[in-house]
Amino acid sequence: MYLEYIKSAIASIRSNKGRSFLTMLGIIIGISAVLTVLIIGDGMKETVNSEMDSIGATSITISLDNTKTDKKFSLEQLREIEENIDDIYGISPSINLGGSLINKQKTYDCMIQAGTEATVNSAGVKIVHGRYYSRNDVLEDKNVIVISQTAANKLFGYEEVVGNTLQIDAYGNEGELTVVGVTEDTSIDLALAMYADEPTLIASMPYTTAASLYGLSTDGIDGATIYLDNENRDEVLGEARSVVENIMGLRGENAVKISSSLGFDKTTDSILNIITSVVAIIAAISLLVGGIGVMNIMTVSVTERTREIGIRKSLGARTSSILTQFLAEAAILTFTGGVIGMLFGFLVSYIICQIVGFAFKINPLLVIIVVAISTAIGLFFGIYPAKRAAALDPIEALRTE
């Protein structure tokens, strides 16, 4: 019996191809819009997460609460902390300095990151020429520096500058440094270099070298950064406080402050989810419009087929049979529109992901939900015209011209 209903519904749809297409058009646009937004949103999150994972390392910042203790870290204590925490890449002071880099007649403002060899694990640090400064460079206070590609081009006019020397003006104290490595430009490097009048260059050097040039103390370090793998973050967070308190002699004083980038990761993911959800809701409005279109077209169909309905009811067709037939027709229209919209959404989202560089990822559950929603829309908005058709009086219907 139900197979007959489906056959009858398909025959009706095929006999009115233009009207059927217009009915499906709203569903096609709505489904494809929602699906495109959700796929791009998933691709954006996947790309962001993969970029963070590709870094390999994340970081934990440790510092001492100066309202509870007047102690500071020394380089020796940081090394001891490093040796007593398992599964980390290293630990480094968190020091950023200014000054000027000079080569011949060229002088540029600079931002200097001073630390230990562990800072090679910082986000975005990729060596393209030479090497990063080593543990020996830090221990022996060597006058070496690592600069970005932009800095190399600005100062020397080309990138492969390993072995060349340049001058630094550290707030009045001058020194000569040897370039041992060149790092790939990050977005920050490029952004600071865009200031054509006064571009700022970024470079890194051993903390001990910076201490000599800038007159810093190796025993008065305020804070440090621990570099570790993402997978070990929870274990290291649990261990770091205890190790630092023991080495610094601060057990029970609650003076050690530890912060992680975990909160930032969650915040970023939440923001991306909110953006995707809001845009998807806006796109879903077109689904509502499509559903109303289904209801309107089906109502018109009922009006056009009033006499047909009267003949069928006079021949013994039950009210439930008429209701089922029109619901089947609405469901088939929206199901077909949903499938077409799904395929169109895949195509559009794939093209957009390729253009913007996002990962293209299809969630099978999402596909099932989208098709189910499109069919449900047909049933929901098809109820009114179907009930109207089923409720027609056969005598009045037969009188219709």
Side-chain angles (χ1 to χ4, degrees), residues 82-378:
E82 179 181 73
E83 292 169 0
N84 283 275
I85 300 178
D86 297 326
D87 300 319
I88 64 173
Y89 294 125
I91 188 170
S92 174
S94 303
I95 306 293
N96 290 303
L97 303 163
S100 300
L101 293 178
I102 307 164
N103 182 44
K104 298 180 180 178
Q105 302 300 318
K106 300 177 181 179
T107 301
Y108 295 96
D109 291 336
C110 66
M111 291 177 57
I112 301 292
Q113 182 185 30
T116 68
E117 70 284 354
T119 55
V120 72
N121 298 292
S122 299
V125 174
K126 295 181 181 178
I127 300 294
V128 292
H129 302 292
R131 62 175 177 84
Y132 206 74
Y133 56 83
S134 65
R135 189 183 185 93
N136 283 337
D137 293 331
V138 178
L139 294 174
E140 298 174 12
D141 187 12
K142 289 188 177 179
N143 290 332
V144 295
I145 190 170
V146 177
I147 61 177
S148 67
Q149 289 173 301
T150 294
N153 283 313
K154 292 287 185 182
L155 290 166
F156 298 95
Y158 55 97
E159 279 187 18
E160 297 184 24
V161 296
V162 175
N164 291 356
T165 59
L166 52 79
Q167 301 293 318
I168 184 170
D169 184 344
Y171 303 138
N173 295 325
E174 296 187 358
E176 185 175 84
L177 303 171
T178 301
V179 179
V180 294
V182 178
T183 58
E184 184 177 81
D185 281 336
T186 64
S187 56
I188 297 176
D189 289 299
L190 298 174
L192 292 176
M194 287 177 63
Y195 295 102
D197 295 335
E198 295 182 1
T200 300
L201 309 181
I202 297 180
S204 302
M205 66 172 62
Y207 179 83
T208 49
T209 305
S212 299
L213 288 169
Y214 289 85
L216 304 176
S217 171
T218 56
D219 296 323
I221 301 169
D222 293 318
T225 301
I226 299 174
Y227 298 98
L228 64 150
D229 195 277
N230 279 315
E231 296 178 356
N232 303 321
R233 179 162 44 190
D234 292 338
E235 292 80 359
V236 174
L237 277 171
E239 186 180 0
R241 185 181 301 277
S242 176
V243 170
V244 174
E245 286 179 343
N246 286 338
I247 291 175
M248 300 303 295
L250 296 171
R251 175 66 67 182
E253 296 185 25
N254 197 29
V256 177
K257 298 191 292 185
I258 297 180
S259 61
S260 168
S261 60
L262 177 61
F264 174 77
D265 296 347
K266 289 183 176 179
T267 301
T268 302
D269 202 44
S270 297
I271 291 172
L272 293 178
N273 284 331
I274 291 171
I275 293 172
T276 302
S277 299
V278 170
V279 178
I281 290 171
I282 295 172
I285 295 174
S286 59
L287 272 179
L288 177 62
V289 175
I292 295 173
V294 171
M295 184 172 64
N296 290 336
I297 298 297
M298 291 299 296
T299 302
V300 171
S301 177
V302 169
T303 303
E304 289 181 350
R305 296 160 64 186
T306 301
R307 188 172 180 81
E308 174 196 333
I309 294 168
I311 294 172
R312 291 185 60 191
K313 295 193 76 172
S314 66
L315 293 175
R318 291 177 298 178
T319 299
S320 60
S321 299
I322 303 296
L323 177 66
T324 303
Q325 180 185 345
F326 277 88
L327 282 178
E329 190 172 327
I332 291 171
L333 281 172
T334 50
F335 175 80
T336 306
V339 172
I340 297 173
M342 178 182 66
L343 297 175
F344 188 66
F346 288 162
L347 177 62
V348 173
S349 56
Y350 176 78
I351 293 172
I352 294 175
C353 286
Q354 291 297 310
I355 292 173
V356 300
F358 289 161
F360 179 69
K361 181 181 180 182
I362 297 176
N363 186 344
L365 180 61
L366 183 64
V367 175
I368 296 172
I369 291 174
V370 166
V371 175
I373 288 175
S374 66
T375 307
I377 286 172

